[in-house]
Amino acid sequence: MRKSNWIVTAIAAVAAGVLLWMWFALGFNHVDDPLDLVVAVAWWLVVAAVVAGIAWAESKRREKMRLAFVGEGVVYNPEAGLVMPDAGETELGALERTLAGMAFPDEVAALDERVRPSFRWVVRSRKFDRNGEVWEGEVLPAHDPDAEPKPFASREDLAALLAA
């Protein structure tokens, strides 16, 4: 998660803890019905739900940032922009290098309007861990967005799909 998400989560958890401590420290547990304790527990559940929601939204955002357009000698990624393969490197190698170095900022790299590369494939990487050892997602032809996505579960599967 991003730093701001951790800060919001920490503030909510500390506030919930302080309020629960104050409820006991001020002796409200002797005076009030157990409804206050139920409210405190409900608040902890809300905090947990918010944390789960933030984690889910962040994973979806990261999945969108791992999107890539692959063409002949060029790869475009929303974080890195246009990436050219190094000498002797394939487009798949450039894509793997790009995904391995992602920092997931909030900004999207703009595609220069003067440069019009021709993309063949759209690669949606659902998972990318351990520098490509775990790599899952789907591939679509760039010229046909209504085509059925072809899933892949490894680097080798992706290489076979991009070679087709």
Side-chain angles (χ1 to χ4, degrees), residues 32-98:
D32 290 337
D33 291 333
L35 178 64
D36 289 341
L37 184 58
V38 171
V39 170
V41 169
W43 175 249
W44 277 100
L45 292 175
V46 167
V47 169
V50 167
V51 169
I54 289 172
W56 177 81
E58 180 66 12
S59 73
K60 288 299 179 188
R61 186 186 76 84
R62 286 176 179 241
E63 187 176 319
K64 287 179 183 177
M65 290 298 283
R66 284 191 296 263
L67 176 76
F69 296 89
V70 180
E72 289 293 325
V74 66
V75 173
Y76 173 77
N77 172 268
E79 178 181 323
L82 279 178
V83 177
M84 305 298 175
D86 293 336
E89 184 180 40
T90 65
E91 290 85 7
L92 180 61
L95 174 59
E96 187 173 4
R97 177 173 41 93
T98 301

Side-chain angles (χ1 to χ4, degrees), residues 133-155:
E133 287 181 38
V134 176
W135 197 352
E136 297 175 8
E138 59 190 18
V139 176
L140 290 149
H143 63 277
D144 186 10
D146 296 327
E148 189 69 28
K150 298 174 186 172
F152 64 90
S154 67
R155 183 184 200 286

